[in-house]
Amino acid sequence: MRKFDDVGFAALLGVVSLLFAWILWPFFGAILWAVVTAIVFAPVNERVTRAMPDKPSLAAVITLLAILLIVILPFLAIGASLVSQGAETYAAIQDGRIDVGALIGRVIASLPSWVTDFAARYGIYNADDVQTRLASWATASSQSIATRAVSIGQGTAGFVISLGVMLYLLFFLMRDGGRLIRRIANGLPLQPHRRRALLDRFTLVVRATVKGGILIALLQGALGGFIFWLLGLPSPLLWAALMAFLSLVPAVGAGLVWGPVAIYLLATGSIWQGFVLIGFGVMVIGLADNVLRPRLVGKDVKLPDYLILISTLGGIEIFGLNGFVVGPLIAAMFVTVWQMLAETLPDEEEQTPDRGGPD
């Protein structure tokens, strides 16, 4: 009878948990980023709380205001400018002010004669066909990027609601986060050392993903946007957003943006601008990842690059932009759980008796 009661309670627990997750799913992004922000800024909140131990609510409010001023408000300002530039770029493509086909034609026409002769001799490409295909692809890609930027502004009501939910939840996570973590840990049907290992791994991966992924991507995007603005290239903020987006994906970087632009500048006669962009891209944008990532992430998050790449792309496919955090987090939890299982299994080599005879 006791076993039947346990099975029934487990089934009820599973059903109720699934229903609760279903209800919260529309605010998955807001909840995720509230948790991520609380984890990243936990050290700051702890310092503020220690300064006023008898006023945890006030300490949480002060930390929340600091996050608003330092992170959220600047992001909102950048987002508004991004939407504006996206709308301008989309309109320019639609009314023909930006002729992508003509731009690509100028690049192809500036190629050295030996390149075009070699390609024509061996039938590698037909110049007109390549120009048409590249122009079609570039136009579709440019319109997609611009319309996505515009769509950010069109979902203002939903964004405001999600932002409000995030900030509201973030306040309670800052104030009551310690008690919530202890309750969650006590509710996990695991041994205490495994609970600690999972929670420590969860916190470590979240902080490493934000510091080593998002912050570096934002820095590379900002540097790329700065050099585009300095060289007088159009829509620098839109290109900065694209470079930041590509920098988030492992094995893909901002070079996919500034590289072709530098080639175009060189091909169209803007020689010094092209070389400046190449030098800045290699020496500044490229080194930002190699120099800062080891310092920000450290050596604690030991996931293979291929696993980070696959989990990030899979996370983006399923969860959208939230997948940049969710994908690597699930991969890290997967590796951690299997490592725990391997540690509990007996070593076959140690258990195998020595059947060899005397030497």
Side-chain angles (χ1 to χ4, degrees):
M1 187 66 181
R2 174 65 181 276
K3 184 177 181 181
F4 178 79
D5 181 73
D6 292 342
V7 172
F9 180 76
L12 177 63
L13 180 64
V15 171
V16 171
S17 299
L18 289 175
L19 290 175
F20 184 66
W22 184 34
I23 293 173
L24 296 182
W25 182 254
F27 299 101
F28 170 76
I31 296 171
L32 171 68
W33 287 105
V35 173
V36 169
T37 307
I39 291 174
V40 172
F41 285 89
V44 177
N45 187 58
E46 289 174 1
R47 291 183 181 180
V48 178
T49 303
R50 283 197 299 266
M52 47 183 69
D54 298 330
K55 300 178 180 179
S57 296
L58 180 59
V61 169
I62 292 174
T63 306
L64 190 59
L65 290 175
I67 295 172
L68 272 172
L69 294 174
I70 297 173
V71 179
I72 296 179
L73 290 181
F75 265 95
L76 292 178
I78 293 173
S81 300
L82 179 61
V83 169
S84 176
Q85 288 195 5
E88 292 176 1
T89 303
Y90 180 75
I93 294 174
Q94 288 292 96
D95 60 24
R97 282 179 290 149
I98 297 180
D99 189 348
V100 180
L103 296 177
I104 295 176
R106 292 175 62 184
V107 174
I108 294 177
S110 64
L111 291 174
S113 58
W114 65 268
V115 174
T116 56
D117 293 342
F118 178 84
R121 180 180 305 172
Y122 292 96
I124 296 177
Y125 78 89
N126 177 273
D128 295 333
D129 184 53
V130 169
Q131 179 178 346
T132 301
R133 291 186 179 184
L134 287 177
S136 176
W137 174 83
T139 301
S141 300
S142 302
Q143 289 178 341
S144 176
I145 295 169
T147 51
R148 285 180 184 275
V150 174
S151 67
I152 296 174
Q154 294 175 344
T156 303
F159 175 77
V160 170
I161 294 174
S162 297
L163 179 61
V165 172
M166 173 194 163
L167 295 176
Y168 183 74
L169 179 59
L170 182 57
F171 166 77
F172 289 100
L173 290 176
M174 290 292 183
R175 192 189 68 176
D176 307 322
R179 289 196 296 271
L180 289 174
I181 291 175
R182 286 192 294 271
R183 287 186 179 182
I184 294 173
N186 292 334
L188 294 176
L190 298 172
Q191 297 178 4
H193 70 280
R194 290 182 176 174
R195 296 176 191 169
R196 289 192 298 270
L198 282 176
L199 291 175
D200 290 345
R201 187 68 171 176
F202 181 87
T203 303
L204 182 67
V205 172
V206 168
R207 288 179 177 168
T209 301
V210 173
K211 292 192 301 181
I214 297 178
L215 289 182
I216 291 176
L218 291 175
L219 176 61
Q220 290 185 314
L223 292 172
F226 169 74
I227 193 63
F228 272 48
W229 169 80
L230 197 64
L231 294 176
L233 298 173
S235 302
L237 191 60
L238 194 63
W239 292 114
L242 181 58
M243 282 185 274
F245 177 81
L246 292 175
S247 298
L248 283 167
V249 183
V252 178
L256 287 180
V257 176
W258 62 258
V261 173
I263 294 174
Y264 169 77
L265 291 175
L266 293 174
T268 54
S270 302
I271 304 299
W272 74 266
Q273 292 95 329
F275 280 115
V276 167
L277 184 55
I278 292 174
F280 191 88
V282 173
M283 301 303 297
V284 180
I285 300 177
L287 287 181
D289 182 70
N290 298 328
V291 174
L292 293 179
R293 188 178 297 273
R295 294 178 178 272
L296 293 175
V297 178
K299 300 180 180 179
D300 296 323
V301 182
K302 298 178 181 178
L303 289 179
D305 291 339
Y306 64 86
L307 185 58
I308 297 177
L309 173 62
I310 295 173
S311 61
T312 301
L313 294 177
I316 296 171
E317 180 69 22
I318 297 175
F319 299 100
L321 290 177
N322 298 323
F324 285 114
V325 176
V326 178
L329 181 60
I330 293 176
M333 293 296 101
F334 172 82
V335 172
T336 301
V337 171
W338 277 95
Q339 286 177 345
M340 289 181 179
L341 177 63
E343 291 171 359
T344 60
L345 295 178
D347 193 335
E348 293 184 0
E349 294 183 358
E350 293 181 358
Q351 288 193 342
T352 303
D354 186 6
R355 297 182 181 179
D359 294 338

